[in-house]
Amino acid sequence: MLVRPARFCFNPETAVSNHFQQAIAGLDESAIQAQAFAEFDAMVSTLRGKGMRVLVVDDTPEPAKPDAVFPNNWGTFHPDGRVLLYPMCAPNRRPERRPDILEMLGRAFTITQVHDLSGAEQQGRYLEGTGSIIFDHVHRVAYACLSARTDADLFGSVCAQLGYRPVAFRAQDAQGHAIYHTNVMLCVGAHFAVICLESITDPMERAAVTDSLEQTGHELVDISLAQVARFAGNMLTLQPASGPELLAMSQSAYDALTISQRQTLSRYADLVPLAIPTIETIGGGSARCMLAEVFLPEKQVSDQKTRHP
């Protein structure tokens, strides 16, 4: 599921903790929105052309939601019919949790329970979906880089609820800032993991993460902090209707990878670079952040091209 943004722009509320966000000089709001639309629509077209079923939901103009294009932060949708709604750090992101989207999903998929964790916002505790949590669904392990947006206790509680083994650690960018979301420095596929080991500054935590990934049979592709800054860790494996898995990433991320790294990843999935420079520069999130996986059991075949009003 992707959300086509209605009011995409630089979000000062999230920029406090997201040091990947950058303003683009010389672009007014209308130009930014036009470029975001074009990048979004091209991404959807590419994914559908690769055999992916893509549900596009339109953002609502009011209230303004500058980061609505990143729906992976507010909800996860599980194979047993459970939906988890997550507490968000920035107040202007909280309206992204829209009941009408759940109603729309409920018409096509079975939703057995909705667990709303958003009350933690009142205590200043946050956990931002699959931005904060990287799920290894095959081995039922979950990884989280702790930060202002990823609370350790909430992470442990979600893992206990879902039956996943938690692996928590801390990570920093090249400037020494806490990395705001785990999914910019870690991607876990079925048999590989893209990870920035140098960002995990504590040797014991680095060893624990490495051991967990290697013991579950993952080949590690170690990326640098410079590559992280170009969103080379912000990737997601996708399974099309037929054929091999895809590895979705931005064009910037693809260009940042070395030839050797691309060759390693190509053994496990077809690499799909997506040109989203405006969205990832201004939004501070990349291709993986735009993708909300829907694992809910399906009721009926629905038209993937239908947009929700």
Side-chain angles (χ1 to χ4, degrees), residues 130-134 143-147 150 169 179-187 233:
T130 52
S132 294
I133 307 171
I134 306 299
Y143 299 87
C145 167
L146 303 179
S147 71
T150 303
F169 57 93
I179 290 180
Y180 80 112
H181 273 165
T182 316
N183 72 3
V184 298
M185 53 73 63
L186 176 63
C187 163

Side-chain angles (χ1 to χ4, degrees), residues 57-298:
V57 177
D58 279 328
D59 181 23
T60 51
E62 298 295 338
K65 300 178 288 298
D67 288 318
V69 75
F70 303 130
N72 77 309
N73 296 143
W74 61 259
T76 53
F77 311 92
H78 299 270
D80 62 0
R82 276 188 287 186
V83 173
L84 271 63
L85 302 179
Y86 292 88
M88 310 276 279
C89 181
N92 69 358
R93 292 208 61 188
R94 296 169 189 172
E96 295 174 28
R97 295 185 302 253
R98 288 165 46 195
D100 60 316
I101 294 180
L102 296 186
E103 291 172 8
M104 178 202 63
L105 289 172
R107 290 194 288 270
F109 302 92
T110 297
I111 296 176
T112 56
Q113 290 179 306
V114 177
H115 297 276
D116 188 351
L117 308 173
S118 63
E121 291 165 353
Q122 306 311 311
Q123 294 111 38
R125 300 164 62 219
Y126 315 110
L127 187 71
E128 297 190 334
T130 52
S132 294
I133 307 171
I134 306 299
F135 290 108
D136 177 352
H137 295 296
V138 175
H139 302 96
R140 301 192 73 79
V141 183
Y143 299 87
C145 167
L146 303 179
S147 71
R149 300 204 201 176
T150 303
D151 181 86
D153 290 339
L154 283 174
F155 171 58
S157 176
V158 166
C159 288
Q161 189 174 55
L162 296 176
Y164 281 65
R165 174 172 61 86
V167 179
F169 57 93
R170 293 158 294 174
Q172 296 180 350
D173 64 19
Q175 287 71 46
H177 301 127
I179 290 180
Y180 80 112
H181 273 165
T182 316
N183 72 3
V184 298
M185 53 73 63
L186 176 63
C187 163
V188 177
H191 304 290
F192 73 90
V194 177
I195 185 168
C196 180
L197 290 173
E198 69 173 307
S199 71
I200 307 175
T201 54
D202 183 283
M204 293 183 66
E205 292 181 349
R206 188 187 313 122
V209 174
T210 300
D211 290 348
S212 179
L213 290 167
E214 290 181 341
Q215 287 170 11
T216 48
H218 293 88
E219 180 175 1
L220 301 190
V221 178
D222 187 12
I223 58 174
S224 67
L225 284 169
Q227 289 175 306
V228 167
R230 296 177 63 186
F231 295 102
N234 197 247
M235 307 174 177
L236 182 66
T237 55
L238 303 171
Q239 181 59 62
S242 62
E245 284 191 344
L246 310 176
L247 183 57
M249 67 189 76
S250 72
Q251 185 68 54
S252 173
Y254 180 86
D255 292 342
L257 295 173
T258 66
I259 293 174
S260 175
Q261 289 168 336
R262 290 179 202 163
Q263 290 173 337
T264 298
L265 294 172
S266 294
R267 295 204 300 268
Y268 300 105
D270 287 347
L271 309 190
V272 183
L274 303 156
I276 49 171
T278 308
I279 291 173
E280 67 182 356
T281 299
I282 292 175
S286 192
R288 194 276 168 266
C289 304
M290 297 171 66
L291 300 166
E293 303 137 287
V294 180
F295 294 118
L296 298 168
E298 189 169 7

Side-chain angles (χ1 to χ4, degrees), residues 1-2 39-56 236-242 246-249 270-274 276 287-288 290-292 304:
M1 181 178 74
L2 289 86
E39 292 172 10
F40 180 92
D41 290 343
M43 177 172 171
V44 170
S45 178
T46 297
L47 292 175
R48 286 179 173 160
K50 293 288 185 177
M52 287 303 303
R53 182 176 171 195
V54 180
L55 174 64
V56 174
L236 182 66
T237 55
L238 303 171
Q239 181 59 62
S242 62
L246 310 176
L247 183 57
M249 67 189 76
D270 287 347
L271 309 190
V272 183
L274 303 156
I276 49 171
R288 194 276 168 266
M290 297 171 66
L291 300 166
Q304 66 180 7

